[in-house]
Amino acid sequence: MTTIQINEKTKIGKTILNMLKELARLEKDDSIKFLDETEYLLSSKANKEVLLNGIKQIKEGKKGKTINPSELWK
């Protein structure tokens, strides 16, 4: 799956989002899905672990570590 970020505050962003929402409504086959960032971050076990670990580090005032992106998808 590819993630595309669209700035919904711009004119073209609003137009694109409205077009995609209409297409998703018409297609009814789940070819277009809208996920909020939290839903995406919690969508896999690895993502959830990284997110919760990051939150824990922030609460404890610890500096984070560098994570290789390829490690996120295991």
Side-chain angles (χ1 to χ4, degrees), residues 6 8 10-21:
I6 299 172
E8 60 189 79
T10 64
K11 184 177 180 180
I12 192 163
K14 289 177 187 174
T15 303
I16 290 171
L17 284 173
N18 287 334
M19 180 186 68
L20 289 172
K21 287 176 182 177

Side-chain angles (χ1 to χ4, degrees), residues 44-70:
S44 75
K45 185 177 178 181
N47 284 0
K48 184 176 181 177
E49 287 177 14
V50 170
L51 174 64
L52 295 177
N53 185 45
I55 292 169
K56 179 181 171 192
Q57 287 179 333
I58 291 169
K59 285 182 178 179
E60 294 173 353
K62 294 181 181 177
K63 209 173 187 185
K65 66 175 187 172
T66 302
I67 299 171
N68 185 341
S70 64

